[in-house]
Every structure is written in structure tokens, then in C-alpha cells.
Amino acid sequence: MLFEDIPAHNSIKDRLRGFADSGKIPHALLFEGPSGVGKFSIARAFAQYIHCTGKVEGAKDSCGECPSCRQHQNLGHIDTHYVFPVLKTDAFKNPTSDDYLPEWGEYIRDRRYMDFGAWTKAIEGDKKNPQPIIYVYESAALLHKLSFASHGSKYKIVIWWLPEKMNTEAANKLLKLLEEPWEDTLFLMVSDNSAEILPTISSRLQKISFSKLSDANVSEIIENIAGVSPDSSLSVAHCANGSVSAALRNLGNLGDESEYLERFISLMRLAYQRKIADLKKWSEDLTAIGREREIRFYDYCCRLIRENFIFNFKLPQLNFLSASESQFSVNFARFINERNVEKLIDVFDKAIIDISGNGNGKIINFDVAIKVILLLKQ
């Protein structure tokens, strides 16, 4: 992975190059910020830059051609170790990252923007509602690997994805590695939610903070990745909140959005007409599509409520609606105002949390419908 492969974050790249070129690299860095902005790829590019043996003076990237660079590109560099969340299974009762290296290599080989949900799907098998974490066994395995001297490089590098997924036992063992680091070992930790990292761990990491990407950045990136039109990519990017991963998920869900719009229209019309029996049937039908799609539907509802509130200001350059959504919003937007917009979004957000927590879908969805009845009249 080269720095030039990852758009944006130029000041961060300069800072990392400065560390490496001066020979004064902090032994533990935390790449923190929103998911899907390229943090993990920057960490990979930094590790390759450190290990590169073919850099010329003044170069702003690794050479991409030396044996070390080729090993990084093939995910086989002997002094680079990956740590990431895994699952306990019948086959892996004491799992570590090494147990999932084939799946991991396939997952990250051509991936520049990480997605925890996609990684979970890649390893879930037949498990229901899997929750990958980093177990205590990881720390012991890592300690064993790092006890050996580096082979072809000055530094051994650990690229640690989502340290917030460590259980407490693993975090306590890692603390010893951070308190008494080996001079030849670097930790590059990549976090989507650094607030969840134990304070005793976080306090020993030097922070590199990433911002979300602009809509223009995200739009250009997904145009290149997915080959979509500029209009479609900008609309999808606007809903992704600066995350390429979220934009790609949204792009994959475009086929569902016509269905979600129909369900949204049905909810709003039935709620306005106060047809309780029909709303009960609506809630049962929504439950039948499954938890994951229910969550996406409510996320879609949040977006459409926000867009309809903005629609009232008659500034079309601020709206990102499809043709069918715009057609519906012409008559619907007047029902979304400063008195109910935040309350409606809170209702849908709470439904997402409750469904994610394995709540009863029929009850949650019917409760949403009842609350929408009341809020539409405000």
C-alpha cells in the first residue's frame, strides 16, 4: 500500500513521513477517527514506508519495487503482524488473529476502506448475531511473536485494527507491552471509536486524529471504485457522513431504497389517517424482512426526514433526493417542521438501537407507528 493510493489526509501523511525520516517514531500510535476514511490503509502505507529499502532521498512514498515493498503488497512481510477481532467457534476455542489469516488476507487484499460489518460477514459462517472481539489469547500469542528479533528490518510493526474490541483481559496484558516496549517494536492502532479504549491503554498512545471526508472526496472515490455516475455518487456520498465504507454500503442498497420509500410512504399515510389496524399489519410486514434490513430502513427514514425538513427551505442545492423521493416530498415536506423533526429522528434512532439489541420487532415497529401518529400532528 502506497500513500498515494489513499486520497486526502495529506497533512497526516506528511507528519508520518516526518516521523520515519527523522528516525524518531513513537513506539505506539493511535489512528483515531470515523470509520471508512482510510485510517487502516494509511497505517499499512506507513508500515511499508518504514520498511522500504528502495526509497530515494526526498521521496514522499515507498518505492513499491523493493523486496520489502513487494512483501507488504502481498501481505507477507515477516516483520509486520496484524491483530483484529475474531470469533470463537468449535474449531477455534482460543482464537487469535493467526487462526483467521486466510480470511483476513482475502478481506484486506484490495480493500482501502475498512468495514467492521463486512469483516463480520466474512467470518460469521452459520453463527447468528456474531460479535467478533479480541481475546486474551491474542496478547499471549503476540508476546511470543514479538520476543523474536526482527528479521530483515529495523522494526517489527504491529498493525492493530479496532483495539476498542479488546476484552478486559486482553487489554490488561497489552498494557504490559506498552509500558515496557521493545526498542525495535512499533504499534499502529487503528480505532473507529477511541473513547471505548481503556484509559490506561489510551494514555500510552500518541494520537493521530482523522476527520471525515468531504462529500466531494467520497463521491470521487466511489466513482473510481464502483464506476457510478457523478450524480449518483454525489447523492450516495451525501448520505454517507464522510465515510467511503458507508457510501459503498449505500450504493449496494440502492435497489432496496425503492422498497424503503414505499414502506415510508405507507407509514406516513397510515399514521396521518390514524389507521391503527393497518399500522399493526405494517409493523408485522416490516418485522418479516429481518433485523438487518429493518435497521437499514430506519436509517433511511432518518435521512428522508432530514431531507424533507430541508426541502421546506426551498434550496434545491441542499437537497439530495431521487426523482421519486422528490415527487413524494413536494406534498409531504410541510408535515416536517422544527417542532417534530428531531423527535421523529429520535424515534427512528431508538428503533435502530432496540432492534440491534434483539428486541421484539413487532412491538418496536408498532410503537414507532404510534409515535409517528402523534408527531405528525405537531
mmCIF file of all heavy atoms in Angstrom, residues 250-270:
data_model
loop_
_atom_site.group_PDB
_atom_site.id
_atom_site.type_symbol
_atom_site.label_atom_id
_atom_site.label_comp_id
_atom_site.label_asym_id
_atom_site.label_seq_id
_atom_site.Cartn_x
_atom_site.Cartn_y
_atom_site.Cartn_z
ATOM 1 N N ASN A 250 -24.286 2.042 1.014
ATOM 2 C CA ASN A 250 -25.483 2.698 0.480
ATOM 3 C C ASN A 250 -25.646 2.402 -1.003
ATOM 4 O O ASN A 250 -26.763 2.204 -1.494
ATOM 5 C CB ASN A 250 -25.392 4.208 0.690
ATOM 6 C CG ASN A 250 -25.467 4.609 2.147
ATOM 7 O OD1 ASN A 250 -25.892 3.823 2.986
ATOM 8 N ND2 ASN A 250 -25.036 5.821 2.464
ATOM 9 N N LEU A 251 -24.525 2.376 -1.702
ATOM 10 C CA LEU A 251 -24.568 2.088 -3.130
ATOM 11 C C LEU A 251 -25.106 0.688 -3.375
ATOM 12 O O LEU A 251 -25.906 0.457 -4.279
ATOM 13 C CB LEU A 251 -23.157 2.227 -3.718
ATOM 14 C CG LEU A 251 -23.028 2.388 -5.227
ATOM 15 C CD1 LEU A 251 -23.758 3.634 -5.707
ATOM 16 C CD2 LEU A 251 -21.560 2.452 -5.617
ATOM 17 N N GLY A 252 -24.670 -0.247 -2.534
ATOM 18 C CA GLY A 252 -25.161 -1.617 -2.669
ATOM 19 C C GLY A 252 -26.618 -1.763 -2.292
ATOM 20 O O GLY A 252 -27.274 -2.727 -2.687
ATOM 21 N N ASN A 253 -27.131 -0.787 -1.516
ATOM 22 C CA ASN A 253 -28.521 -0.860 -1.068
ATOM 23 C C ASN A 253 -29.475 -0.041 -1.930
ATOM 24 O O ASN A 253 -30.648 0.080 -1.590
ATOM 25 C CB ASN A 253 -28.628 -0.358 0.379
ATOM 26 C CG ASN A 253 -27.894 -1.262 1.355
ATOM 27 O OD1 ASN A 253 -27.726 -2.446 1.092
ATOM 28 N ND2 ASN A 253 -27.445 -0.702 2.459
ATOM 29 N N LEU A 254 -28.970 0.532 -3.036
ATOM 30 C CA LEU A 254 -29.841 1.382 -3.850
ATOM 31 C C LEU A 254 -31.082 0.640 -4.325
ATOM 32 O O LEU A 254 -32.162 1.214 -4.439
ATOM 33 C CB LEU A 254 -29.062 1.939 -5.043
ATOM 34 C CG LEU A 254 -28.103 3.097 -4.743
ATOM 35 C CD1 LEU A 254 -27.402 3.541 -6.017
ATOM 36 C CD2 LEU A 254 -28.837 4.265 -4.100
ATOM 37 N N GLY A 255 -30.912 -0.648 -4.597
ATOM 38 C CA GLY A 255 -32.058 -1.431 -5.050
ATOM 39 C C GLY A 255 -33.125 -1.561 -3.985
ATOM 40 O O GLY A 255 -34.312 -1.743 -4.294
ATOM 41 N N ASP A 256 -32.718 -1.470 -2.707
ATOM 42 C CA ASP A 256 -33.689 -1.570 -1.617
ATOM 43 C C ASP A 256 -34.427 -0.258 -1.388
ATOM 44 O O ASP A 256 -35.490 -0.255 -0.763
ATOM 45 C CB ASP A 256 -32.973 -1.946 -0.314
ATOM 46 C CG ASP A 256 -32.451 -3.375 -0.327
ATOM 47 O OD1 ASP A 256 -32.999 -4.191 -1.078
ATOM 48 O OD2 ASP A 256 -31.488 -3.649 0.418
ATOM 49 N N GLU A 257 -33.868 0.852 -1.863
ATOM 50 C CA GLU A 257 -34.424 2.142 -1.478
ATOM 51 C C GLU A 257 -35.814 2.388 -2.044
ATOM 52 O O GLU A 257 -36.614 3.093 -1.430
ATOM 53 C CB GLU A 257 -33.461 3.272 -1.859
ATOM 54 C CG GLU A 257 -32.179 3.232 -1.056
ATOM 55 C CD GLU A 257 -31.544 4.589 -0.846
ATOM 56 O OE1 GLU A 257 -32.006 5.559 -1.478
ATOM 57 O OE2 GLU A 257 -30.587 4.671 -0.061
ATOM 58 N N SER A 258 -36.115 1.824 -3.192
ATOM 59 C CA SER A 258 -37.480 1.980 -3.706
ATOM 60 C C SER A 258 -38.470 1.270 -2.783
ATOM 61 O O SER A 258 -39.566 1.773 -2.523
ATOM 62 C CB SER A 258 -37.581 1.430 -5.133
ATOM 63 O OG SER A 258 -37.240 0.064 -5.168
ATOM 64 N N GLU A 259 -38.052 0.114 -2.267
ATOM 65 C CA GLU A 259 -38.904 -0.601 -1.303
ATOM 66 C C GLU A 259 -39.027 0.206 -0.008
ATOM 67 O O GLU A 259 -40.126 0.340 0.553
ATOM 68 C CB GLU A 259 -38.315 -1.970 -0.986
ATOM 69 C CG GLU A 259 -39.073 -2.716 0.111
ATOM 70 C CD GLU A 259 -38.290 -3.888 0.695
ATOM 71 O OE1 GLU A 259 -37.431 -4.437 -0.015
ATOM 72 O OE2 GLU A 259 -38.561 -4.234 1.867
ATOM 73 N N TYR A 260 -37.898 0.762 0.468
ATOM 74 C CA TYR A 260 -37.927 1.540 1.704
ATOM 75 C C TYR A 260 -38.808 2.779 1.546
ATOM 76 O O TYR A 260 -39.525 3.166 2.478
ATOM 77 C CB TYR A 260 -36.516 1.955 2.109
ATOM 78 C CG TYR A 260 -35.609 0.813 2.492
ATOM 79 C CD1 TYR A 260 -34.225 0.958 2.458
ATOM 80 C CD2 TYR A 260 -36.118 -0.419 2.884
ATOM 81 C CE1 TYR A 260 -33.380 -0.089 2.810
ATOM 82 C CE2 TYR A 260 -35.292 -1.470 3.231
ATOM 83 C CZ TYR A 260 -33.912 -1.299 3.188
ATOM 84 O OH TYR A 260 -33.087 -2.334 3.535
ATOM 85 N N LEU A 261 -38.756 3.408 0.369
ATOM 86 C CA LEU A 261 -39.602 4.579 0.136
ATOM 87 C C LEU A 261 -41.074 4.193 0.208
ATOM 88 O O LEU A 261 -41.883 4.905 0.819
ATOM 89 C CB LEU A 261 -39.284 5.208 -1.224
ATOM 90 C CG LEU A 261 -40.164 6.387 -1.633
ATOM 91 C CD1 LEU A 261 -40.066 7.526 -0.617
ATOM 92 C CD2 LEU A 261 -39.789 6.885 -3.024
ATOM 93 N N GLU A 262 -41.432 3.065 -0.389
ATOM 94 C CA GLU A 262 -42.829 2.612 -0.333
ATOM 95 C C GLU A 262 -43.263 2.364 1.105
ATOM 96 O O GLU A 262 -44.380 2.730 1.502
ATOM 97 C CB GLU A 262 -42.995 1.336 -1.166
ATOM 98 C CG GLU A 262 -42.887 1.547 -2.668
ATOM 99 C CD GLU A 262 -43.070 0.259 -3.444
ATOM 100 O OE1 GLU A 262 -43.486 -0.753 -2.824
ATOM 101 O OE2 GLU A 262 -42.802 0.244 -4.662
ATOM 102 N N ARG A 263 -42.393 1.739 1.896
ATOM 103 C CA ARG A 263 -42.726 1.475 3.305
ATOM 104 C C ARG A 263 -42.844 2.787 4.083
ATOM 105 O O ARG A 263 -43.719 2.937 4.936
ATOM 106 C CB ARG A 263 -41.667 0.578 3.942
ATOM 107 C CG ARG A 263 -41.664 -0.848 3.425
ATOM 108 C CD ARG A 263 -40.673 -1.731 4.181
ATOM 109 N NE ARG A 263 -40.585 -3.048 3.598
ATOM 110 C CZ ARG A 263 -41.414 -4.045 3.831
ATOM 111 N NH1 ARG A 263 -42.431 -3.859 4.670
ATOM 112 N NH2 ARG A 263 -41.270 -5.224 3.257
ATOM 113 N N PHE A 264 -41.961 3.727 3.797
ATOM 114 C CA PHE A 264 -42.006 5.027 4.465
ATOM 115 C C PHE A 264 -43.294 5.760 4.112
ATOM 116 O O PHE A 264 -43.980 6.303 4.999
ATOM 117 C CB PHE A 264 -40.785 5.852 4.047
ATOM 118 C CG PHE A 264 -40.709 7.203 4.690
ATOM 119 C CD1 PHE A 264 -40.121 7.368 5.936
ATOM 120 C CD2 PHE A 264 -41.227 8.329 4.054
ATOM 121 C CE1 PHE A 264 -40.043 8.625 6.537
ATOM 122 C CE2 PHE A 264 -41.158 9.582 4.645
ATOM 123 C CZ PHE A 264 -40.571 9.729 5.892
ATOM 124 N N ILE A 265 -43.643 5.788 2.840
ATOM 125 C CA ILE A 265 -44.875 6.462 2.403
ATOM 126 C C ILE A 265 -46.085 5.812 3.071
ATOM 127 O O ILE A 265 -46.995 6.498 3.561
ATOM 128 C CB ILE A 265 -45.008 6.414 0.865
ATOM 129 C CG1 ILE A 265 -43.923 7.285 0.220
ATOM 130 C CG2 ILE A 265 -46.396 6.872 0.433
ATOM 131 C CD1 ILE A 265 -43.871 7.157 -1.299
ATOM 132 N N SER A 266 -46.092 4.484 3.110
ATOM 133 C CA SER A 266 -47.210 3.768 3.729
ATOM 134 C C SER A 266 -47.317 4.112 5.210
ATOM 135 O O SER A 266 -48.417 4.389 5.723
ATOM 136 C CB SER A 266 -47.012 2.259 3.565
ATOM 137 O OG SER A 266 -48.056 1.541 4.179
ATOM 138 N N LEU A 267 -46.180 4.150 5.907
ATOM 139 C CA LEU A 267 -46.189 4.505 7.333
ATOM 140 C C LEU A 267 -46.759 5.900 7.533
ATOM 141 O O LEU A 267 -47.630 6.109 8.397
ATOM 142 C CB LEU A 267 -44.758 4.436 7.881
ATOM 143 C CG LEU A 267 -44.543 5.034 9.287
ATOM 144 C CD1 LEU A 267 -45.359 4.273 10.325
ATOM 145 C CD2 LEU A 267 -43.061 5.023 9.641
ATOM 146 N N MET A 268 -46.313 6.857 6.761
ATOM 147 C CA MET A 268 -46.739 8.233 6.960
ATOM 148 C C MET A 268 -48.222 8.422 6.619
ATOM 149 O O MET A 268 -48.958 9.124 7.329
ATOM 150 C CB MET A 268 -45.873 9.181 6.126
ATOM 151 C CG MET A 268 -44.415 9.196 6.562
ATOM 152 S SD MET A 268 -44.232 9.650 8.319
ATOM 153 C CE MET A 268 -42.624 8.955 8.700
ATOM 154 N N ARG A 269 -48.676 7.790 5.555
ATOM 155 C CA ARG A 269 -50.089 7.928 5.171
ATOM 156 C C ARG A 269 -51.010 7.260 6.191
ATOM 157 O O ARG A 269 -52.039 7.821 6.592
ATOM 158 C CB ARG A 269 -50.303 7.338 3.783
ATOM 159 C CG ARG A 269 -49.745 8.244 2.676
ATOM 160 C CD ARG A 269 -49.904 7.630 1.304
ATOM 161 N NE ARG A 269 -49.470 8.582 0.265
ATOM 162 C CZ ARG A 269 -49.261 8.258 -0.993
ATOM 163 N NH1 ARG A 269 -49.455 6.997 -1.407
ATOM 164 N NH2 ARG A 269 -48.876 9.178 -1.862
ATOM 165 N N LEU A 270 -50.656 6.044 6.613
ATOM 166 C CA LEU A 270 -51.489 5.336 7.587
ATOM 167 C C LEU A 270 -51.479 6.054 8.937
ATOM 168 O O LEU A 270 -52.503 6.109 9.629
ATOM 169 C CB LEU A 270 -51.000 3.894 7.745
ATOM 170 C CG LEU A 270 -51.167 2.991 6.514
ATOM 171 C CD1 LEU A 270 -50.491 1.647 6.753
ATOM 172 C CD2 LEU A 270 -52.658 2.794 6.183
#
